[in-house]
């Protein structure tokens, strides 16, 4: 049996609705709760904060993902990269490392 490993995920977007759409979530993002987002992937310990700064207001979703050790953070990063592809102003990171689509420079 493989031991689960926890990864920290962060998603930044212009609105909570954009984050929910990206993850395919209907309804609210329950603070501290869990949201299943893909086959075998559940975000837990949800924390949504609002941040205002130079670039305007952004919303930051922080969550944890527990996966089997046979699933690396690279697989999780690839999944998130696919989710944010083509979405302007949306950023994501796994374990503090930014994930970006290969075509993000020209978007």
């Amino acid at each position: 049996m493989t031991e689960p490993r926890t990864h920290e995920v962060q998603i930044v977007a212009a609105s909570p609705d954009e984050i929910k759409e990206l993850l395919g979530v209907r309804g609210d993002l329950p603070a501290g709760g869990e949201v299943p987002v893909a086959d075998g992937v559940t975000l837990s310990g949800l924390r949504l904060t609002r941040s205002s700064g130079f670039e305007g207001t952004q919303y930051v979703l922080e969550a944890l993902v527990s996966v089997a050790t046979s699933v690396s953070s690279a697989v999780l990063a690839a999944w998130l990269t696919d989710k944010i592809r083509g979405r302007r102003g949306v950023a994501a990171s796994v374990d503090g490392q930014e994930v970006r689509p290969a075509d993000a420079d020209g978007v």
Side-chain angles (χ1 to χ4, degrees), residues 52-56:
S52 296
F54 181 72
E55 295 183 23

Side-chain angles (χ1 to χ4, degrees), residues 30-49:
E34 293 185 344
V35 172
V37 293
D39 211 15
V41 177
T42 299
L43 298 179
S44 63
L46 299 177
R47 184 173 155 224
L48 182 66
T49 57

Side-chain angles (χ1 to χ4, degrees), residues 30-102:
E34 293 185 344
V35 172
V37 293
D39 211 15
V41 177
T42 299
L43 298 179
S44 63
L46 299 177
R47 184 173 155 224
L48 182 66
T49 57
R50 180 179 163 190
S51 172
S52 296
F54 181 72
E55 295 183 23
T57 299
Q58 296 180 320
Y59 289 83
V60 180
L61 176 73
E62 295 174 314
L64 299 175
V65 178
S66 292
V67 294
T69 55
S70 62
V71 178
S72 70
S73 62
V75 172
L76 186 55
W79 173 77
L80 267 173
T81 299
D82 186 55
K83 289 293 201 179
I84 66 173
R85 187 177 315 281
R87 294 179 183 265
R88 282 186 158 296
V90 176
S93 66
V94 175
D95 295 333
Q97 297 293 320
E98 183 180 7
V99 297
R100 349 174 23 169

